[in-house]
Amino acid sequence: MTYTSLEQRAAQGYLELFPQFIADGQAPVSVSEQKVFYDLMERFYRLAYEEPLLFVPRLHEDAVLPGLYSSASDPGREAQDHMKKFCKMIDATVMQMYLMGAKKEFQLNRRQKAILARLGIEDYGNLPDAWVWMAQKEHLERFQRPSRFAHCCFRADHAYAAAIYEKVFGNEAYHRLTDWMADHGYRAYDIHDTIGSNCRLSLTYANPAWGEERPRGGFEYKIKHTGISLRYEPYNQDPWIFGVCIPGGMKTYLEHFQEMPVAVQDFVMSRVKRCDGCRYCVQTDKTGKRPLVRIPIGYGGEEHSLCPYYPGYRFWWPGVDDALADNVIGLLGFMDRFA
């Protein structure tokens, strides 16, 4: 897709992650009132895409972005910074809109007032009913943003993100994977506060056999369930990301490596990091005597030392094909033996 600026590229992420309209028929506001607010928010994001100069004083030429987990020296980092500044302006406006609806103290700058005027909002004491309802029912914790409000996720019991990621990943291989997970009790969850993306609406399929705690999203940190996580990374070359959720790191599974089916062994060996002596695992050891946390395994007639830490950084892809679906199903099935 061709963009006129980095700012327009950034705005596209908000449109990509804006879900289809699904109202809450049991809400204290009518379905038609919910549609009024939904249409207003969609116009807001489209305004950011079509007229980004309403949000920032100048635009920057579109550029090639870095890949996920690229180094700090990557020349595309400057382009990312411009996009982040633009998204910050969008997010700041959404936050003020949330505060207005929640009847809390808000402060609009000149740009934000002009943006709201373009949306037909000039009487701040007379906002659409669904705007007020959505703002007042979104309970934010520290560092959270009003994502349900921003994405018009009216129903708490509906996974709005499923249809979004279906449009991108929904080939036959992806359906085979999600069907397998459904048959084995996995559930789909909207995740509203992922760390990786400012757009902040991702999708996780999790196996509740590992615990009833709601998954936190992502596939890198503090994973407590098997499953997959899908998200949109607006500042990266491949924005649509698919990753495997590996609870507790690879230690337990590598210790049982010889029990894995051969295909799962091959898959794991193709992704897991070999220990290179980086000493990350013993960085807090002041004596210098603590042994490296590496797992010895035999594979292909050779001995290997594998790193069990943060496998999420290696078990991710920009799409799903038949071979990957087979491999992920095999790995999930093996890990679920330890639930």
Side-chain angles (χ1 to χ4, degrees):
M1 191 168 182
T2 302
Y3 300 100
T4 60
S5 65
L6 285 169
E7 287 74 16
Q8 189 180 71
R9 178 185 287 273
Q12 179 65 25
Y14 292 88
L15 292 172
E16 294 279 14
L17 292 183
F18 195 66
Q20 65 188 60
F21 176 67
I22 298 177
D24 182 352
Q26 306 301 314
V29 297
S30 69
V31 170
S32 61
E33 289 168 331
Q34 293 173 57
K35 187 63 164 64
V36 167
F37 179 58
Y38 177 91
D39 290 344
L40 183 146
M41 292 305 295
E42 185 176 33
R43 294 203 317 274
F44 171 74
Y45 297 127
R46 196 158 298 282
L47 196 62
Y49 180 86
E50 295 175 352
E51 300 185 51
L53 282 173
L54 286 171
F55 293 79
V56 290
R58 61 184 291 256
L59 304 181
H60 299 84
E61 184 179 358
D62 194 26
V64 176
L65 299 176
L68 192 63
Y69 311 130
S70 60
S71 68
S73 61
D74 192 298
R77 291 286 184 173
E78 184 178 357
Q80 286 183 323
D81 290 341
H82 293 315
M83 293 177 69
K84 289 178 181 179
K85 289 178 181 177
F86 180 73
C87 289
K88 185 177 180 180
M89 297 304 297
I90 295 178
D91 294 341
T93 305
V94 171
M95 178 59 79
Q96 294 306 311
M97 294 170 70
Y98 158 75
L99 293 173
M100 293 165 67
K103 306 300 182 183
K104 298 182 180 180
E105 183 178 350
F106 65 92
Q107 186 172 1
L108 299 172
N109 60 32
R110 177 181 56 82
R111 287 186 178 278
Q112 291 166 340
K113 290 178 181 178
I115 291 166
L116 291 179
R118 290 291 298 273
L119 298 174
I121 304 299
E122 295 181 331
D123 182 357
Y124 305 147
N126 186 28
L127 301 174
D129 290 342
W131 178 336
V132 174
W133 168 64
M134 282 296 290
Q136 293 184 346
K137 80 188 190 85
E138 175 127 48
H139 302 291
L140 301 185
E141 297 180 5
R142 192 181 183 194
F143 301 130
Q144 288 185 334
R145 301 181 186 184
S147 184
R148 294 172 181 82
F149 172 88
H151 293 94
C152 295
C153 297
F154 299 112
R155 283 176 49 186
D157 62 345
H158 182 78
Y160 285 83
I164 295 171
Y165 290 91
E166 164 73 21
K167 290 189 299 183
V168 179
F169 292 96
N171 57 19
E172 184 176 340
Y174 176 78
H175 290 150
R176 188 154 51 82
L177 172 57
T178 54
D179 287 347
W180 181 90
M181 289 190 294
D183 290 342
H184 288 77
Y186 287 64
R187 299 175 190 167
Y189 298 86
D190 278 355
I191 307 296
H192 295 274
D193 295 291
T194 52
I195 295 171
S197 166
N198 278 4
C199 294
R200 292 177 179 258
L201 180 58
S202 66
L203 174 67
T204 289
Y205 284 89
N207 186 350
W210 290 80
E212 288 298 323
E213 180 181 349
R214 185 180 178 86
R216 68 190 300 273
F219 47 81
E220 294 96 336
Y221 305 109
K222 299 181 180 179
I223 303 303
K224 298 181 179 180
H225 58 272
T226 52
I228 63 172
S229 179
L230 306 99
R231 70 173 184 252
Y232 185 87
E233 289 283 357
Y235 315 127
N236 290 281
Q237 194 174 90
D238 296 308
W240 298 98
I241 303 297
F242 159 91
V244 178
C245 300
I246 301 175
M250 288 298 294
K251 183 175 184 294
T252 297
Y253 318 113
L254 292 178
E255 289 175 341
H256 294 268
F257 183 83
Q258 299 305 329
E259 300 169 26
M260 295 179 183
V262 173
V264 177
Q265 289 184 353
D266 294 342
F267 181 50
V268 168
M269 291 300 295
S270 73
R271 308 301 298 187
V272 171
K273 177 187 175 184
R274 273 62 169 174
C275 177
D276 57 8
C278 73
R279 302 190 65 80
Y280 174 85
C281 57
V282 293
Q283 61 182 311
T284 60
D285 177 29
K286 299 184 183 301
T287 68
K289 297 179 180 179
R290 187 187 303 170
L292 299 178
V293 183
R294 52 189 175 189
I295 311 297
I297 62 103
Y299 173 78
E302 298 179 355
E303 293 298 316
H304 302 267
S305 293
L306 303 183
C307 175
Y309 280 13
Y310 301 115
Y313 283 100
R314 290 176 172 264
F315 283 81
W316 68 270
W317 303 264
V320 186
D321 59 19
D322 286 328
L324 181 56
D326 289 338
N327 285 327
V328 171
I329 288 171
L331 179 59
L332 293 177
F334 178 77
M335 292 191 297
D336 281 341
R337 293 170 45 189
F338 300 89

